[in-house]
Amino acid sequence: QQAVADAARRAAVGDTSVAVAVRGPHDALGQATESLRTTLAALVDEVRTLAAAGAEGRLAVRGDASRFDGAFAEVVRGINTAFDAALAPGRATSAVLTRVAARDLSVRIEQPFAGDHAATQEALHAALDALGAALAEVHAASAQVAAASGEIAD
């Protein structure tokens, strides 16, 4: 019992390195504690994998919630949902900038975003509006110069 209690205390503070020695097929407490320890270790490993993928720019990597049950699966699904929500505005912005690079200044992000993402969306739209206005002014000025040089040449 002391070994099970020690393993539970260690797992409670994040140390999943100590396996619980199950004393036999009827040691329900030992089996349950060891199962909890291995599940926590797997969950930590899953989060480490996601963190490493994010740091390496592999942003399509998602956690495998099917490896877990109950609340543990909810944690992985929640992380995946948070990643999707955090990455969607960047993907939308990238798509807009790709079209801007092809000289389409009329493009906008159609999907409304919330919070900090909305501020970035508004800033992008304002920058595109300002760039469009500046180019219109350059076009008008060049037309005036062309007209004036035509009058001088006559």
Side-chain angles (χ1 to χ4, degrees), residues 102-145:
R103 298 182 179 195
D104 178 2
L105 296 181
S106 68
V107 67
R108 297 293 184 268
I109 297 173
E110 298 300 326
Q111 178 182 354
F113 292 113
D116 294 338
H117 295 304
T120 302
Q121 182 178 15
E122 290 168 12
L124 175 63
H125 291 177
L128 290 172
D129 290 342
L131 181 58
L135 289 174
E137 289 175 17
V138 167
H139 177 68
S142 66
Q144 288 176 349
V145 168

Side-chain angles (χ1 to χ4, degrees), residues 61-110:
V61 174
R62 293 294 177 272
D64 183 3
S66 70
R67 291 179 56 198
F68 304 96
D69 295 314
F72 298 114
E74 284 181 43
V75 167
V76 176
R77 282 192 299 271
I79 291 169
N80 290 342
T81 298
F83 276 14
D84 291 339
L87 294 173
R91 289 186 177 124
T93 300
S94 179
V96 165
L97 292 174
T98 298
R99 288 191 42 201
V100 168
R103 298 182 179 195
D104 178 2
L105 296 181
S106 68
V107 67
R108 297 293 184 268
I109 297 173
E110 298 300 326

